[in-house]
Amino acid sequence: MSMTLDLAIDLISRPSITPDDQGCQEVIARRLQTLGFEIQHLRFGQVDNLWARCGHTAPLLVLAGHTDVVPVGPVEAWQFPPFTPTLHQGNLYGRGIADMKGGLAAMVTACERFLQANTQHKGSLAFLITSDEEGLAVDGTAKVVDYLQQQGQSIEWCLLGEPASVDKLGDQIKNGRRGSLTGILTILGRQGHAAYPHLADNPIHRFAPLLQELCQHTWDQGNAFFPPTTFQVVNVQAGTGADNVIPGQLEVIFNFRYNTEFTVADLQQAVIQRLKAHHLQYELSWRHSGHPFLTAQGQLLEAVRLVIKEVCGYETALSTGGGTSDGRFIAPTGAQVIELGLLNRTIHQVNECVNIEDLDKLSVLYERILERLLLE
Ligand SMILES: [Zn+2]
């Protein structure tokens, strides 16, 4: 049996629902320790993180990912029990195989082959693995990156094993992600009897024109790497339940998915200016869950593109779509970040599975990338 398949099976038999790692990181750490990696288990709050580094010189190439998986949903809807790895018609089934234990297994076996074949190579290799990517992501990669910065360890390249492929392995990689900014807005009015509107101040009526304006506004045209910034209202709430009461306030929650044309401050300012222009009384707070990041060029992107062309025989497509990823914590340090992994077709779904041959193929892709970056 293939080494990658073997390790993937071990990992997905562990029900490591966020943030409970279930020993996955220990399995990986033991393999890496044998190869000469220095192992650090960094536990923050309830979250297990693994930092394993081999070598002390620059440039540092980090292989990053997560051992946690999303809950399984209705077990009876699964063709095979979600934590019983099952081989069926060329596929391996199990929660987390695509997102992203298959990717982790491929990274480990790629390193094993690379280090066994190349005792002399330039730079250093490291693994950054968290058990809280699918959850709040507060005590995971973000904290490890803080720790590394305090230690003065800077990352040149980061290959993230998230499932970025669509129809065929390597047909798409992510070289960035949009930012996400949420606003929690309260429009203040004055409660009153619906029959005596002159004694009240209806916050719904006051907000309606601005709502229209915000929804119809074109924030930007996007750019070469990103689609246009979008604004979505995700919740609106007012009213007392009675049909004869004008509510005293209106609560609105909205979310921006924004590109590199904007900063957080620009977006916040754009909203505040409009609130003022409409003479609204309001309270506003913000939740920012990630800056946009982009690796537009560089050695990592070039290496990944060339290797996919070489091994798979086709050009990969660059994407910055989808939600955010832990790359948002690593990219701001100045690292080049690229996401390359298995097919995303079944992630977060029942019957999550991957093609068995893709596991070995992905491991070869990672190995070739290591060779391109770390061999002279
Ligand atoms: Zn993931």
Side-chain angles (χ1 to χ4, degrees):
M1 199 192 277
S2 124
M3 302 269 284
T4 306
L5 179 60
D6 242 358
L7 179 54
I9 285 174
D10 185 349
L11 294 175
I12 55 175
S13 65
R14 298 164 187 269
S16 55
I17 295 167
T18 315
D20 183 4
D21 173 67
Q22 289 280 321
C24 292
Q25 291 176 16
E26 190 51 48
V27 168
I28 293 170
R30 275 202 299 270
R31 304 268 291 240
L32 296 177
Q33 198 158 24
T34 311
L35 295 172
F37 280 77
E38 281 169 44
I39 306 299
Q40 279 181 279
H41 293 286
L42 301 170
R43 189 174 166 91
F44 300 111
Q46 303 295 308
V47 178
D48 287 312
N49 302 285
L50 173 65
W51 172 250
R53 178 168 177 154
C54 177
H56 297 279
T57 56
L60 170 61
L61 167 59
V62 171
L63 304 174
H66 60 91
T67 48
D68 60 318
V69 303
V70 293
V72 298
V75 176
E76 63 280 4
W78 284 74
Q79 195 176 353
F80 311 105
F83 296 111
T84 305
T86 306
L87 300 170
H88 178 69
Q89 294 183 343
N91 291 323
L92 172 59
Y93 286 79
R95 168 57 85 225
I97 183 59
D99 187 8
M100 55 158 280
K101 289 173 170 176
L104 287 177
M107 285 175 159
V108 171
T109 55
C111 271
E112 288 173 342
R113 291 192 309 278
F114 174 79
L115 290 172
Q116 278 150 16
N118 305 286
T119 44
Q120 299 293 319
H121 63 84
K122 68 172 182 180
S124 308
L125 253 175
F127 277 77
L128 194 176
I129 299 175
T130 183
S131 63
D132 183 22
E133 194 273 345
E134 304 284 9
L136 293 174
V138 169
D139 288 321
T141 302
K143 288 265 169 76
V144 178
V145 168
D146 283 349
Y147 170 79
L148 295 175
Q149 294 216 284
Q150 283 162 24
Q151 302 266 309
Q153 303 195 54
S154 67
I155 301 171
E156 185 83 33
W157 304 302
C158 174
L159 192 57
L160 200 54
E162 290 287 355
S165 302
V166 182
D167 295 315
K168 294 178 293 188
L169 186 71
D171 62 352
Q172 178 182 273
I173 58 174
K174 300 232 163 137
N175 66 327
R177 298 273 191 153
R178 290 175 296 181
S180 175
L181 175 68
T182 297
I184 302 108
L185 173 66
T186 305
I187 302 294
L188 305 170
R190 191 163 74 246
Q191 191 179 330
H193 196 300
Y196 300 88
H198 58 290
L199 298 177
D201 183 4
N202 192 325
I204 303 174
H205 293 198
R206 286 215 176 257
F207 183 62
L210 176 56
L211 176 63
Q212 168 98 335
E213 193 179 312
L214 289 169
C215 295
Q216 289 182 347
H217 186 68
T218 301
W219 297 89
D220 58 55
Q221 305 293 335
N223 57 32
F225 290 103
F226 285 93
T229 294
T230 60
F231 168 90
Q232 286 293 307
V233 173
V234 294
N235 196 18
V236 173
Q237 212 175 340
T240 60
D243 62 7
N244 57 359
V245 178
I246 293 167
Q249 56 184 45
L250 166 69
E251 281 163 29
V252 184
I253 302 177
F254 56 86
N255 177 259
F256 284 104
R257 292 299 160 122
Y258 69 101
N259 59 38
T260 45
E261 299 293 303
F262 274 102
T263 66
V264 182
D266 291 340
L267 279 176
Q268 291 173 334
Q269 216 35 55
V271 171
I272 290 165
Q273 268 167 12
R274 285 178 174 76
L275 285 162
K276 286 184 175 152
H278 284 260
H279 305 291
L280 295 168
Q281 299 291 314
Y282 66 92
E283 287 163 3
L284 175 60
S285 62
W286 300 94
R287 199 161 52 224
H288 185 235
S289 38
H291 291 281
F293 62 91
L294 176 69
T295 299
Q297 55 184 20
Q299 285 171 293
L300 177 60
L301 178 58
E302 280 321 299
V304 172
R305 280 175 137 164
L306 282 168
V307 165
I308 291 171
K309 185 81 204 281
E310 205 175 270
V311 176
C312 303
Y314 39 80
E315 300 279 349
T316 192
L318 302 184
S319 165
T320 57
T324 188
S325 79
D326 272 4
R328 70 191 140 145
F329 302 121
I330 301 166
T333 68
Q336 299 171 27
V337 179
I338 297 290
E339 302 177 29
L340 163 64
L342 294 160
L343 272 60
N344 59 20
R345 190 177 283 160
T346 59
I347 62 171
H348 294 214
Q349 298 179 18
V350 300
N351 300 324
E352 182 174 349
C353 64
V354 299
N355 179 289
I356 295 166
E357 286 169 12
D358 280 354
L359 290 169
D360 279 331
K361 205 165 159 189
L362 180 60
S363 181
V364 170
L365 287 173
Y366 290 149
E367 184 188 1
R368 297 277 172 273
I369 293 166
L370 298 188
E371 290 170 358
R372 282 212 168 258
L373 292 171
L374 298 181
L375 296 181
E376 227 58 70

